[in-house]
Amino acid sequence: MAVKWFHSFPLHLLLVTIVIVGVNSEYIEYNTAPRIVPEKINVHLVPHSHDDVGWLKTVDQYYVGANNSIRGACVENVIESVIASLLDDQNRKFIYVEMAFFQRWWRQQSNAKKVKVKKLVDSGQLEFINGGMCMHDEATPHYIDMIDQTTLGHRFIKSEFGQVPRVGWQIDPFGHSAVQAYLLGAELGFDSLFFARIDYQDRAKRLREKTLEVIWQGSKSLGSSSQIFTGVFPRHYDPPDGFTFEINDVSPPIQDDPLLFDYNVQERVNDFVAAALAQVNVTRTNHIMWLMGTDFRYQYAYSWYRQMDKFIHYVNKDGRINVLYSTPSIYTDAKYAANESWPLKTDDFFPYADKPNAYWTGYFTSRPAFKKYVRDLSGYYLAARQLEFLRGRSSSGPTTDMLADALAIAQHHDAVSGTQRQHVAADYALRLSMGYLQAEKLVASSLSFLSASKSSTEEKNPDTKFQQCPLLNISYCPASEARLSSGKSLVVVVYNSLGWKREEIVRVPVSSENVIVKDASGKEVVSQILPLSDITLRTRKEYVKAYLGRSPKDTAKHVLAFIASVPPLGFSSYVISDTGRTGRGLSASYVTSGSLNEDIEVGQGNLKLQYSEEGVKMTRYLSTKNQVTAEQTYAYYIGSNGTDKDPQASGAYVFRPDGARPIQSEGQAQLTVLRGPLFDEVHQEFNSWISQITRVYKGKNHAEIEFTVGPIPADDGNSKEVITKLTTTMKTNGTFYTDSNGRDFIKRIRDFRSDWDLQVYQPVAGNYYPINLGIYMQDKTSELSVLVDRAVGGSSLEDGQIELMLHRRMLHDDIRGVGEILNETVCLPDGCKGLTIRGKFYVQIDKPGDGARWRRTFGQEIYSPLLLAFTEQEGDHWINSHKTTFSAFEPSYSLPNNVALLTLQEVENGEVLLRLAHLFEVGEDSEYSVMAKVELKKVFNNKKISKVKETSLSGNQGKAEMEKRRLVWKVEGYTGEEVKRGEAVDEEELVVELAPMEIRTFLIRFDDHIDMVGEERATT
């Protein structure tokens, strides 16, 4: 054998020599010139990196590449590497989405570098897509927050690059809302919207029927004007298998050097063509899009571009299909040019499941305290911007900018959603807190300015030092709790950020029960004193210590409640003094422990609460012959920890219940009833970790339920998801309605989807929907509505019943990437325990069709609570030397009850951003679902408007030019209808018309300088 081997060796050598003769390894100039070939399949390669603005790491850790033991991700590297690769070849392209990251990078670049990058943007090599500060969630943010964060990003892009994003890119949120389609899509001037996540059953049908790409009409009120071309990816937002090329990826590269082993050009071309043909079989037209990237890719961009250059070159040489560097904008234009008719999609894409037992409906409630913090600061930001405008924006003093940035980042789909790791949640909260502190100073200085007397000077009348109380939800307010010494009183300035007058009850903790309240004229105001509940005192003591590092003083024992009457976009002042109380406002109380010997009824109108051994019932008398009773209870679901057949557990994202358990009272339950001139309230402690206070107000038809839940016990090893239920005998036929991001209401039918025949595997989780404003149900005789104070999940799982999920404590991870159990705790000196949350929901029962008015108007009051500021005075010195009431509007003017002032903000160059919204849908209310009118001359009292320019929703382009560029798509079987919108604003009349559900945005200029607005509008 050895002899034969030596004899054959020269032959092998000869064969090798023959193979390589005439073959050289040399430079190859890859032809990547972009072209579309009409008669071929065109594969649009879209290079992208999905960069979460916080998730496993904080936003700054992701940016600089810190904390890489969690994940090796550095967004700074991504941007730097991509820019270098784009500069190398003018045919290459890249899209970027998250302006929170790009802005960080941009601030630190040299002018020379900025010039180069601007050329990349101008040429279309680098295109900004979506363009918000983050890729916001679509289930749990309020629509105002979605608008604000998008506006912030769009104005940055416009200011720095002069560009307007054309495409929505919501590739990762866990379900998609109607508001996203029409408001954060069509109303922004977007030509298309793309995303990845839809229900696995829905995707399977769309793949079969080639309906992954549709025209989505998100608003029934705005009809065809709300339509947008929408594309759902055939798989996730990554390339087909075998075509990922990050430095450590395993996909085979094209090896095109003939002198090296494993030459594979034709093999890889064949792979590419096969994958393209597979995708073209599930879509319409000869254009398909490949997403070349996924999470935090392109940290070494050349490894991607080198391979894409080769694929474009060799596949196009092969000639079977055509490949090009592209963007979603180019792809959209190609689809439009095909002149295809597309299916129509209405409503939304909730709920989302990626497997039979994996409905992503738990995150609708996850981290409820953080969700409430975001919502509270959202309303505060709205008010602070108004006051910043009224005072005049200062370049040196405190501004709302830090709060704007923090709120924008908090809308990210792993932020307000509650699906981030704990240390990231703490980072978001810290940013919000820092932003609040700056805005708090701005609010205080603005109120000081607006309340200062015109005749006084700064030297004679120094600024008022106002204090505010962000922890009023747990009855902690040092300013109102301070004991008033002889001759001193407490001034409370109450600011109303809504456009109509409000008469509302203000509640503050006080140290004495012997206090009275007077208005600015010295007239006593009806008030009421109530004791702080035991649970409030405990919660206050623990959480003030936990979050502020100090224990509250034990001075506050009572709550003072009084009616404040406040003008639109203005304030009123009240004085609290510790003299003269005769006990008229003291609430009469009734306390019972253990079993109720007799039924107790509470209520001051046609809404009554009945308490008995059977529980609590709420009855609304709609007429002498029509009354509706709702019973309220608490329960919890045990979160599944998986089974042998399916290991799916309940976790931060997924809700997989393993049966419900009613919550029974522990031992001798205590009931405290307090009656007073303003409202009656009932304190109930169901067990050691659930209690509530129910209030019924004089002259109101709704009940307010303030709940305290936690710490949820975990010592039995079970995850728990706490719900409250309202049960009636209403015949609702499986139908209920939930809001879309606080805006439109969408009809839901239990165990039903309009787009496919639903296979029911999870009858509870699969019927849960996100709620930001409210949920309601109705039958032929009545309508029951529930409004919420934050994002929650909810449903109607039985006819006549509504349930809300209030809190979750999980003991297992749901294996969706976060890699951490959702088990929130609060730590005190004596150890850590489960998080306690406090919140409110509101219930009203009406005749059918009458509930919309309450939902819309009271919903605005929930989102924009009265803002309180406190200062002490000697005698009546402050009241006598300051303006005690103010409205920015012309006296006696207010906005119509169907219109909300969403934005009043001074922006660059002295312009003012004004955003007005119609609150009602078409046909929702007989009186209010009509065209509304707003008189700008009366809104901007004593100011001469020199220019009004209507813009897109984000203010980055003129409305008229946006409409000219709008692509009008052909829709299968759609005949169209006349859509009524408000007319253009006449420059003389300056009246804004708003059709139902219409939001209109304007940039306004004034003849005089903006910082005089507050002084000129003040009234005494």
Side-chain angles (χ1 to χ4, degrees), residues 452-457 883 1015-1016 1018:
S453 173
K454 282 185 180 180
S455 60
S456 65
T457 64
K883 299 187 191 74
E1015 183 174 348
E1016 292 183 1

Side-chain angles (χ1 to χ4, degrees), residues 9 14 400 616 620 676 748 889:
F9 178 77
L14 176 63
T400 57
V616 55
R620 172 80 193 275
R748 313 295 190 184
F889 291 175

Side-chain angles (χ1 to χ4, degrees), residues 964-983:
K964 282 181 185 177
R965 288 198 300 264
R966 184 187 296 276
L967 301 181
V968 179
W969 299 80
K970 294 170 69 174
V971 184
E972 289 180 351
Y974 188 76
T975 56
E977 81 293 341
E978 182 181 357
V979 178
K980 183 65 174 173
R981 292 257 191 166
E983 297 289 340

Side-chain angles (χ1 to χ4, degrees), residues 453-491:
S453 173
K454 282 185 180 180
S455 60
S456 65
T457 64
E458 191 172 338
E459 289 74 28
K460 293 179 181 177
N461 190 11
D463 288 346
T464 302
K465 304 300 181 186
F466 281 111
Q467 298 181 60
Q468 295 165 67
C469 296
L471 295 181
L472 270 174
N473 68 314
I474 56 171
S475 298
Y476 178 69
C477 181
S480 67
E481 295 172 31
R483 294 192 179 277
L484 298 169
S485 57
S486 178
K488 285 193 174 183
S489 56
L490 182 69
V491 176

Side-chain angles (χ1 to χ4, degrees), residues 100 150 204 213 221 240 246 267 283 302 396 405 432 453 505 572 586 656 670 693 775 778 785 847 928 964:
T150 303
E213 293 173 323
S221 297
E246 198 70 16
E267 178 186 345
T283 188
Y302 186 62
S396 57
D405 287 337
L432 289 168
S453 173
I505 290 178
S572 297
L586 277 171
R656 188 186 181 190
Q670 182 168 295
I693 299 173
I775 178 173
Q778 60 186 12
S785 306
K847 294 179 181 178
Y928 288 151
K964 282 181 185 177

Side-chain angles (χ1 to χ4, degrees), residues 896 899 914 916 931-936 948 950 982-986 989-994 998 1000-1002 1004:
V899 173
L914 174 72
L916 298 165
M931 189 71 72
K933 295 184 178 181
V934 174
E935 301 178 59
L936 295 184
V948 176
E950 185 167 10
E983 297 289 340
V985 176
D986 182 271
E989 296 296 324
L990 294 176
V991 174
V992 176
E993 292 184 339
L994 293 147
E998 187 174 19
R1000 300 183 70 177
T1001 305
F1002 302 91
I1004 299 177

Side-chain angles (χ1 to χ4, degrees), residues 106-125:
W106 185 250
R107 287 194 298 251
Q108 292 194 307
Q109 302 312 303
S110 67
N111 289 333
K113 186 73 162 285
K114 287 183 176 181
V115 169
K116 292 179 180 179
V117 174
K118 286 181 179 180
K119 288 181 179 178
L120 293 175
V121 174
D122 290 340
S123 70
Q125 277 190 266

Side-chain angles (χ1 to χ4, degrees), residues 99 227 417 671:
M99 291 306 105
Q227 292 178 356
S417 58
L671 189 76

